[in-house]
Amino acid sequence: MNASTANLTKLMPVVPNPLSCFSVTAYIAIAGVTVPLTFLSVALYLGVLMTFLRHPALITPFTVHIMSLSVIGIIHGIGFFPQATARPISGNWLNSPLPCAIFQYFMWVLPTMTLLQDLVICADRWVAYLIPLWYHRHSSVKRGLLATMAVTVWLHGWYMPLNILNYYTPMANRFGCDGTAYPKYRSIVIAMVSYAPEVLIYGSYPVLLILLWRRRAQKLKVRNARVSCATSAVLSTDTAANNGGLSKRGNQAENSNNTLAMVLLFLKLTAVIFNAVPTVLMMVSATAGRYPPRCTWDAFHLSEQFLAFTQFLEPVIYLMTLSGLRQEFRQMFLNAFFCFSN
């Protein structure tokens, strides 16, 4: 790269004044809101995990995915948000290879890990819908953990070679900590671990929601129909077959699981939309060896701060949709409160 690009590289980790629409003071004020939210979200994730561990009966083939998301959320709060918050305020520490490698791991790998765990949840809901009898007979906590391990290995198998290559590449040759000297390889990695899962999740889950709503409407129609005793017996048999032989309590649990997944993925889709456009603009600009358009940095950093709000909402969604978890969490909180008060 020529000298002008090398000089530009030194400025990339910090928000350049000509390109930024926000001042450092504004970012400090934003951090004053998002940092407490991040601490609170980590506390809620820890509370959710403690509730599951104290009451193993709450751990099911579905809720084990919630435990995995909670672990990822805690790592996000500890590793991702401090760096994402500090960077627009002062990013000079990213000019060295090792801090930059750590930054890239948390910025690139952890958000994708959340996405792949969402893919596991989406696949879980599809299996539960298409083959409910098999799902409730053969699904297990062990299978859920194996699915999480599989996507974790898949993600790191693609990303870690790129991180290692970046670490041994001079900073000037990769246009700062956002860029890479291997843009084609990076594009392939992102396509395999990010774009493809996003298409599968956000493309298939609306279809699944429509099918679930149709099935629920059919059940309500059967339940409210006035039929003779003989016809009622036949319809009851059909309904049991549609439910895969599930009990009433099993149906309620499945409804809660579907509601949680629906709200959770809608929240994630909103965060993805906020983050996608500035991320693409920054990647294209870094690959072309030039600055991104004005205010792109602000849009990108604000989208990362918006993740603090979504991370705070996630454990709240768990507690609102899973009644058993909510009751035990509340009891644990009350017991801790009385212990400290006494």
Side-chain angles (χ1 to χ4, degrees), residues 99-110:
C100 180
I102 296 172
F103 176 83
Q104 286 188 343
Y105 177 83
F106 281 102
M107 295 299 114
W108 295 2
V109 174
L110 278 180

Side-chain angles (χ1 to χ4, degrees), residues 140-222:
S140 64
V141 172
K142 182 179 179 180
R143 288 177 185 267
L145 292 175
L146 287 175
T148 298
M149 290 178 61
V151 297
T152 303
V153 171
W154 172 263
L155 169 62
H156 286 78
W158 282 101
Y159 254 134
M160 290 310 295
L162 179 60
N163 278 59
I164 294 171
L165 287 172
N166 284 337
Y167 176 74
Y168 286 105
T169 301
M171 298 290 292
N173 293 345
R174 50 191 170 109
F175 202 62
C177 205
D178 286 302
T180 177
Y182 314 95
K184 293 183 179 179
Y185 178 39
R186 181 181 180 180
S187 299
I188 295 173
V189 170
I190 293 175
M192 297 304 296
V193 302
S194 183
Y195 294 156
E198 284 178 353
V199 170
L200 290 174
I201 295 172
Y202 303 119
S204 70
Y205 203 73
V207 178
L208 178 60
L209 289 179
I210 293 173
L211 295 175
L212 289 171
W213 285 332
R214 287 181 60 184
R215 174 178 286 184
R216 187 175 298 181
Q218 292 173 355
K219 292 176 184 178
L220 291 174
K221 189 179 295 183
V222 170

